[in-house]
Structure formats: C-alpha cells, structure tokens
Amino acid sequence: TQLLEQSPQFLSIQEGENLTVYCNSSSVFSSLQWYRQEPGEGPVLLVTVVTGGEVKKLKRLTFQFGDARKDSSLHITAAQPGDTGLYLCAGARGNQFYFGTGTSLTVIP
Amino acid sequence: DTAVSQTPKYLVTQMGNDKSIKCEQNLGHDTMYWYKQDSKKFLKIMFSYNNKELIINETVPNRFSPKSPDKAHLNLHINSLELGDSAVYFCASSHGTSLYEQFFGPGTRLTVL
C-alpha cells in the first residue's frame, strides 16, 4: 500500500481534450508538489502547493490542494502532445517527500 | 552546465558484482537524495543527506551504502548485486527539505543479469 495513490494510472486522450489527475491519501501533508517526467529523464517540478484549498495555475494546468491537505488534483485544459509524460505527485511529511504511484499521460495528435 | 549529473547512464552487470553510481550537483544545495524507480515507475526514496550527514535511511538492504565526500557529491555503492536491484536510480538535490524543489539527475539504468 502506497501513501499517495494517483488515478488514473494510465490516460490516453486526443489533443484538445481536458483531463484531471487525482492524488489521494489518508495522511496529511505539509506541502505537495507535482512533477512531470519524460522518458529517459528525471522528474521536473511543476508546482508546489502549501495551503489547504490553494489553487495554482500554470498556463493550461490548474493545481488544487485539498482543504484537509490530504489530496490534490491536476487539471489540464486543451491537452497538447507536449503534455505527454508521467505525472507524479509528492507529499511532504517531516523532512521527507513521498511520491505518488504516477499517472502516465499520452496525448494523441 | 548540467545541474545534477550522474554516471554512468547505463550499467549492465552480473549478479554478485559490486558497482558504484556517482552523483554531483553544482547548484550549491545542501541536501542530496537517492531514489529508486521500479518497472512500474514508482519512485521511492532510499537515502537523504544534509550537509554530508545522513538524515533519511529508508528500509534499504545494507548492501547499499551511500557516501558523501562533500556537499556536492553523493555516491551510491552497491555490494553483491541481485536481480531485484534492476531499476533506474535517480540522484536529486534541494536547497532544503520539504518545501523546496528537488532537482533530479538524468538517472542511471541498472540491469543485473
């Protein structure tokens, strides 16, 4: 059992569609980060959310931290092929990050 | 300039061998990490060092031994390699812990035959 469960595990959509990825836990985190990882590379940070209920936008990406700081969501509007990759959430507890199970997104042109 | 670099990129070796993976960061960060990513892409922390001191040591077999000669380097030595050690190993660094962005290296794909 992983501390952070992501859903869906795999997602294949057409260019232009919208999608939401969820990151859920029964534990409380002091902060939560979202990373994107492309094949053959390390994860790259997209955003950090700290306050319960916080919403951050990064162009077509919208991130939300749950009110209780136990979950988060990533919404992508009008997905593009360049959005293809593995999306990872990571929750901070103490001095350690716990990564989620990952969501592999494929955007078909 | 590469922020976090790892060598080698690929490592293929026989069971029972001993191998090392090197990591260097030129960002001036004081915290460095080793992660293991398995075939299902799950990323799990193995070790964390802050100012050359071990601060996180997850339940990793003692065949794995990290070494931090200075703040910019965190190497991973693995003794008596086993088939289950096959994975991608990532080094990362950050300015601190918890709230700070982690910068990841490109990964080392280890294959044990």
Side-chain angles (χ1 to χ4, degrees):
Chain A
T1 304
Q2 310 303 339
L3 200 58
L4 279 163
E5 295 282 345
Q6 289 183 235
S7 61
Q9 186 179 358
F10 298 97
L11 189 54
S12 183
I13 61 171
Q14 294 289 331
E15 182 176 359
E17 290 183 357
N18 302 333
L19 67 116
T20 302
V21 176
Y22 299 94
C23 173
N24 294 307
S25 177
S26 56
S27 300
V28 176
F29 297 98
S30 55
S31 66
L32 194 134
Q33 297 182 334
W34 284 92
Y35 288 80
R36 180 168 66 212
Q37 183 180 11
E38 299 190 10
E41 299 181 9
V44 176
L45 181 71
L46 296 173
V47 78
T48 301
V49 284
V50 179
T51 308
E54 181 177 2
V55 176
K56 279 193 174 179
K57 291 193 175 184
L58 184 66
K59 297 183 181 178
R60 294 176 295 100
L61 278 60
T62 301
F63 305 85
Q64 183 161 9
F65 201 9
D67 291 341
R69 290 186 288 127
K70 292 182 180 181
D71 50 72
S72 180
S73 64
L74 158 60
H75 182 78
I76 301 179
T77 304
Q80 298 178 359
D83 296 328
T84 293
L86 178 69
Y87 288 81
L88 296 162
C89 62
R93 292 181 71 193
N95 59 3
Q96 186 172 338
F97 271 107
Y98 296 87
F99 276 83
T101 48
T103 295
S104 182
L105 171 65
T106 301
V107 182
I108 304 165
Chain B
D1 278 347
T2 304
V4 182
S5 59
Q6 295 179 228
T7 54
K9 175 77 171 170
Y10 300 96
L11 187 52
V12 181
T13 188
Q14 298 286 331
M15 258 186 0
N17 284 351
D18 303 339
K19 290 293 178 185
S20 292
I21 307 172
K22 295 186 176 181
C23 177
E24 177 181 2
Q25 55 96 2
N26 62 6
L27 299 168
H29 290 163
D30 49 14
T31 305
M32 295 185 72
Y33 312 81
W34 275 110
Y35 286 88
K36 179 180 181 181
Q37 189 170 47
D38 61 23
S39 58
K40 294 184 178 180
K41 304 298 185 185
F42 182 63
L43 200 61
K44 190 175 192 312
I45 192 164
M46 301 173 68
F47 302 102
S48 174
Y49 269 72
N50 180 264
N51 285 319
K52 301 196 312 177
E53 297 293 326
L54 180 67
I55 58 171
I56 294 172
N57 183 359
E58 288 295 296
T59 51
V60 176
N62 57 15
R63 298 181 294 104
F64 291 79
S65 53
K67 293 282 193 306
S68 182
D70 54 59
K71 278 175 50 173
H73 296 84
L74 182 61
N75 304 322
L76 183 65
H77 188 75
I78 315 170
N79 289 328
S80 303
L81 279 156
E82 299 177 358
L83 294 176
D85 297 332
S86 295
V88 181
Y89 292 83
F90 286 98
C91 175
S93 73
S94 68
H95 194 59
T97 56
S98 295
L99 287 182
Y100 294 95
E101 176 179 3
Q102 293 183 63
F103 290 80
F104 284 81
T108 295
R109 181 174 291 277
L110 171 64
T111 303
V112 183
L113 304 175

